[in-house]
Each structure stands twice: as structure tokens, then as C-alpha cells.
Amino acid sequence: MDRKPSFDFEEQFKKLYLPLNLFALRIVEDSDEAEDIVQQCFVDVWELICGGQEIDSFKSYMYMVVRNRCLSFKNGATFQNVGIDECCDSISDTSEDEAVVLSERDARLWRVIDQLPQERRRIFLMSKRDGMKYSEIASALGLSVKTVENQMGKALKSLREMAHKIYIFFFG
Amino acid sequence: MKEIDDNILAKYLCCEASEHEKAVVEEWLNASHENRAWLERVRKSMDFVPKHYSEGKFDSEKAWRQFVFKRGYRKEKKSFVWRKSFVGLAAAAVALLVVSLAAIRWLAEPEVEMAEWHTADASMTLFLPDSTKVMLAANSSLSYDKKSFGIETRSVNVDGEAYFSVKRDEEKRFMVKMDQTYVTVLGTKFIVETGEGQTSVSVESGKVAFAKNDDSQQVTLTAGMKAVYDVQMQTIKKDDDFEPNDFAWVTGVIVFDAAPLKEVVEVLEKHYGVKLSLVGDSSRKLTATFNNYVLNDILEVIKETLDVELVIEK
């Protein structure tokens, strides 16, 4: 535990944590399992770094490690103690980048939902998570359909604003 | 992006749009590739994320705190404090440890040659022949038979508290034997603690089997789980209350999350081997992470933030 990484591990951890979880979630389809896997991967990679392992691109390395662990978990292998060195030969998939971009987009939506005012979030989740119709939500919450419609519109607006900001950031 | 009414777009995504509204959206989509691409992207996330969303899940700040407690990660600026306390600890260890490496001949089994370690009031780190790392807490003992260790199994005896980081070897099971129970693993990290009337096992990573000596009861524990054996009831129970501070003496990181001061006092007393008395409002709660602090600094922080004084009893 002597070596310290040359980059800010804490910053990278916090930045990659949510997208990595959503990336894992798309594979294992269980949020508790996904979170367990991602946490264990950070621990393993941290130990590798402390052991002196050089890692060129931390981000793509983390995605690869998480993906491999998810796959071995799904294949029924006990994922405990599957060494990183044992499972890292398979970096080839060209759609990998797409999956990463998708996870980052998922993460943005997650954050947008996180930041919605409570009532609006509730309505949004009743619609998109629970699959309820506007009219069902309205009667469940004792609101008018028009209110539900407005709240859903505002939720979508938050998402579009977020997307717009990112667009400006990259191309503006 | 050409403007479109968000309510109509939301309705479209929720299959609530009327024929007229659908036409409005279609027109907007046809107006630019970008609009269509955006909607497709949104739909992909929208069909997936909300289904799994739950408030407070995937919290990176919380996960980072857990990671820090697990790994004992600290930033460079803290290392001075840490070194100071480490030097103190090492000195204490040298002064106070009674380390005896004695060969004991057992009457029944003359081939047995025991290696033993006993600690007084400081913890110590040792390595077993298979390079498994053990941190033996204060007032604890560990022993193993040098002749049989690593031949078929790797077996050690523990009385007190010990943290194991077991070198993986699937051929040779690692076993920790306690008074009435034992633990078997292949390669993992965990703590065993034998005490008055109970024996507990806390697992940091990997998988551990915790069983009674007669194998009449066994539980399997994975990362973050804890089980307690009750000597009186003679039963093993999984304990959901995994205490983050169970590993504090290993990592040096103490975490309080809205902890009542009574609990704070208990944790600090155990960690620093002192008696504390409380002056002030004992109903206050503390949320803080102390990464390898010396005790006086912690007491100072508590005094500043909660206006409660904890005094070390002489």
C-alpha cells in the first residue's frame, strides 16, 4: 500500500461511479448486484495500483474490469476473487465505446431524475417506471390530468436542458 | 434545436399524444436529423433508467466513504498525523508486546510444534508461512502447528480479535479455529472476534463459512456480512448490523453516521484503549469520518462541532 496513483483517484471514483453502475446494470439487470460488482472492481483496481501496476486509461480500464466481472457473474461463475489478470484478455468488442456513451447518457438521466422536485419525480416515476397512464396517476394523486401533463412536460424540459448544456459544452 | 412544446413531447414519449399532437412531433422530428437522433437516444435511456431508479441508490459520495473505510485510502496531507501515530504505535508494540515463539510438546501428539503469538495492549501484524497477513488486536492470541500448517489445510487458533487477509489457495483451505466454532475460507479478508459469551465474524471481501465445531450449524457470509455465535444459546446468527467501525482498528478509519454520543464513546474507548467521560448534552449525534486521527484531535473536533466535551479518564 505504498504507492499512490499519479491521478486523483477520489475524483475519478466519484466521476465514474454512477455511469459504471448503470453500465453494470445493463448487463446484470439487478441494481444491488451491479453496485456490489462496481465497488469490488474499484477495490481490486486500487490494490493493483498500489501494487505498482501502470494503467494507461483509467476510465476504459474500469469499464473493462466491470464488464468482465459482470459477464462472469452472469455466466454463473462465482465472481468473488476472479482475478483481474485472469479475465482481461478479452478487450476487443467494437461496440464497447457505444456502451460507454450509453451509460454516460443513462447517468445523466439518473441525475436529472435525482434533481427533480419531489412531486414531479413521483409523477415521472409513476409514468415511466410503473407504466401508469396520465389519467391513472391523476386519480391516484388526486390531481387533474392537466397538472400531470405539465409536470411531465417540465421533467422532460429538465432533460432537454441538460442535453442542451452538454451540446453547448462540446460544440458551442 | 427548433422549439417544440415539452408537454407534447412528453406525451408522445408516454404514448399519451393525440393524433394531432403526434403529427406535431413527427413534423418536428422530420425538421432535423438531430431532433430524431436526440429522441432516439432519450428513449433508450428513458425505457431503462426509470425502471431501476430508486432514490439514494448509486450514491457516489456514500460509496466513496465506504471505499475509504475499506481501503484506508488517505490523502497525502494526512500522512503526517498518521506517521506520528504509527511511530507511537510501533514503539508501544515493541515495548508492550509479549511475543513468544515457543515450541510446546503436546502429550498426545508429540509431532506437534506450536508457534504462538500473544499481544498485550497494542496490536501487531504478522505473516503466516503461506504469506497470509494477520493483524492481531490487543489482548489476543494466535497459534498454529508449524508441522502441519500448509500440508493439507492451513489451520490457526485464535483467542481474541484478529483480521485476516488470506492468500488464495484453493487446494489448501484456510481455517480459523475458535473455542466452539471455526471459519473456513479459500482466500478473503475478514475479522474474527472471540469475547465474553460470543464469537463474531465480519467479512470485508470474499466468501467465508462460519460453523460450529460439530458442524451442526453453518452459515455462509460474503462481503459486508457479519455473524455472531452466542455461547449460551449455542447458535450462529447472521447479524444485519454490520458495523463500519469493525474494521477501524485495521484501517485506522473511524466512521460515524448520525451516531448517538453513547456509541461514539464506546467506539473511541475501544479503538484507543481509554475510558472517556462525557460533559454536556449527551443526546447530540455525530456524523464524521476520522482518517487515522490521534484521539485528542477527534475530541477537539467533537467539542468544536457539538459543544460536548469528552474527557479522558486517568
Side-chain angles (χ1 to χ4, degrees):
Chain A
M1 281 284 205
D2 292 320
R3 300 215 189 186
K4 292 277 179 290
S6 52
F7 56 92
D8 190 336
F9 192 83
E10 178 174 354
E11 188 192 329
Q12 290 292 324
F13 181 103
K14 289 179 180 171
K15 203 163 104 184
L16 294 175
Y17 190 75
L18 180 57
L20 275 173
N21 268 298
L22 289 158
F23 177 79
L25 185 58
R26 287 230 179 221
I27 306 173
V28 298
E29 292 163 334
D30 178 293
S31 58
D32 288 332
E33 291 295 350
E35 195 157 24
D36 273 356
I37 288 170
V38 170
Q39 289 187 356
Q40 195 59 49
C41 287
F42 272 113
V43 169
D44 287 353
V45 171
W46 170 250
E47 278 182 357
L48 274 186
I49 291 170
C50 290
Q53 174 104 9
E54 301 277 336
I55 294 170
D56 284 342
S57 163
F58 184 70
K59 179 175 151 185
S60 37
Y61 191 80
M62 280 309 300
Y63 274 98
M64 179 186 71
V65 173
V66 168
R67 192 195 62 159
N68 285 336
R69 201 181 270 264
C70 287
L71 292 179
S72 59
F73 170 79
K74 262 192 92 171
N75 294 336
T78 48
F79 70 95
Q80 306 284 4
N81 292 309
V82 174
I84 289 167
D85 3 297
E86 293 150 43
C87 64
C88 285
D89 311 321
S90 52
I91 336 155
S92 56
D93 211 335
T94 48
S95 66
E96 203 66 351
D97 279 351
E98 248 169 73
V100 172
V101 172
L102 178 62
S103 306
E104 285 170 347
R105 235 183 262 131
D106 286 346
R108 286 201 290 276
L109 175 58
W110 189 285
R111 285 196 198 97
V112 167
I113 299 173
D114 257 340
Q115 284 160 16
L116 291 177
Q118 209 167 355
E119 176 84 342
R120 195 173 304 155
R121 178 164 61 211
R122 194 163 167 208
I123 291 168
F124 179 83
L125 290 174
M126 285 170 106
S127 167
K128 297 311 292 183
R129 181 177 64 195
D130 310 331
M132 291 168 77
K133 288 178 156 306
Y134 280 13
S135 56
E136 291 168 338
I137 299 170
S139 65
L141 298 179
L143 302 166
S144 70
V145 174
K146 191 72 201 163
T147 307
V148 173
E149 194 184 307
N150 283 333
Q151 291 284 17
M152 286 300 290
K154 281 178 185 159
L156 191 73
K157 187 166 180 238
S158 306
L159 186 62
R160 288 177 74 200
E161 278 168 356
M162 173 76 114
H164 191 61
K165 267 185 222 151
I166 286 157
Y167 183 82
I168 299 277
F169 178 75
F170 283 112
F171 310 103
Chain B
M1 226 182 271
K2 184 177 163 259
E3 275 318 302
I4 181 163
D5 188 296
D6 286 304
N7 287 12
I8 293 177
L9 202 51
K11 280 170 114 178
Y12 183 83
L13 278 166
C14 296
C15 306
E16 299 265 350
S18 65
E19 288 307 315
H20 170 70
E21 285 161 341
K22 275 185 201 163
V24 173
V25 175
E26 286 299 336
E27 191 193 335
W28 178 75
L29 290 175
N30 289 332
S32 107
H33 278 304
E34 205 184 288
N35 292 348
R36 192 174 286 281
W38 181 81
L39 191 78
E40 266 166 32
R41 289 199 302 265
V42 165
R43 196 169 251 162
K44 249 190 195 165
S45 293
M46 202 77 107
D47 289 344
F48 175 73
V49 176
K51 290 210 162 49
H52 294 276
Y53 180 86
S54 98
E55 202 180 338
K57 188 97 194 146
F58 299 153
D59 181 338
S60 65
E61 295 293 333
K62 197 171 134 201
W64 174 252
R65 285 199 298 275
Q66 282 172 353
F67 177 84
V68 166
F69 123 70
K70 269 189 168 181
R71 287 287 113 235
Y73 173 74
R74 54 194 158 256
K75 290 201 162 173
E76 290 300 335
K77 61 179 178 193
K78 288 277 165 57
S79 66
F80 175 67
V81 176
W82 177 73
R83 275 205 195 98
K84 231 170 41 181
S85 72
F86 179 75
V87 170
L89 204 74
V94 171
L96 298 170
L97 277 179
V98 184
V99 181
S100 67
L101 194 63
I104 293 177
R105 295 176 67 85
W106 282 20
L107 290 169
E109 294 164 294
E111 297 83 14
V112 170
E113 194 184 318
M114 300 301 282
E116 298 186 27
W117 282 265
H118 305 279
T119 55
D121 41 11
S123 64
M124 73 175 294
T125 301
L126 57 102
F127 289 89
L128 300 176
D130 64 337
S131 79
T132 285
K133 180 182 172 186
V134 184
M135 275 179 81
L136 198 55
N139 300 312
S140 302
S141 305
L142 179 140
S143 65
Y144 66 88
D145 176 11
K146 289 205 276 187
K147 290 236 166 101
S148 69
F149 186 92
I151 294 179
E152 275 173 4
T153 61
R154 300 170 284 165
S155 166
V156 299
N157 308 302
V158 168
D159 183 22
E161 188 172 6
Y163 166 82
F164 290 90
S165 175
V166 177
K167 177 81 181 164
R168 190 168 179 83
D169 184 347
E170 295 189 23
E171 309 272 280
K172 293 164 191 156
R173 284 185 309 165
F174 191 95
M175 294 176 75
V176 181
K177 294 180 177 171
M178 289 153 291
D179 193 22
Q180 296 179 26
T181 50
Y182 70 99
V183 167
T184 41
V185 301
L186 295 174
T188 124
K189 293 172 186 169
F190 62 99
I191 285 179
V192 298
E193 183 177 9
T194 65
E196 298 269 313
Q198 65 169 45
T199 297
S200 69
V201 177
S202 311
V203 181
E204 185 186 357
S205 71
K207 205 186 222 174
V208 164
F210 181 31
K212 286 173 69 175
N213 282 345
D214 59 6
D215 286 321
S216 61
Q217 202 192 351
Q218 179 178 335
V219 296
T220 303
L221 305 172
T222 53
M225 290 168 83
K226 178 178 183 172
V228 178
Y229 172 74
D230 187 315
V231 173
Q232 206 151 34
M233 308 286 289
Q234 305 213 341
T235 50
I236 298 174
K237 256 197 191 155
K238 284 192 186 174
D239 186 353
D240 292 332
D241 284 342
F242 183 82
E243 296 291 330
N245 291 325
D246 282 353
F247 285 91
W249 67 276
V250 177
T251 60
V253 181
I254 305 176
V255 184
F256 294 113
D257 190 4
L261 278 174
K262 194 168 156 278
E263 185 191 319
V264 173
V265 168
E266 273 170 24
V267 169
L268 294 179
E269 282 182 340
K270 187 177 173 213
H271 191 78
Y272 291 97
V274 292
K275 275 271 160 210
L276 295 171
S277 57
L278 197 148
V279 184
D281 180 5
S282 65
S283 66
R284 305 290 303 267
K285 290 189 173 170
L286 180 68
T287 296
T289 300
F290 299 108
N291 193 336
N292 289 285
Y293 272 49
V294 292
L295 180 58
N296 281 332
D297 291 349
I298 296 181
L299 300 184
E300 192 64 27
V301 169
I302 293 174
K303 191 178 165 190
E304 294 282 313
T305 51
L306 298 183
D307 200 26
V308 171
E309 204 161 356
L310 295 177
V311 184
I312 304 173
E313 287 178 16
K314 290 283 182 268

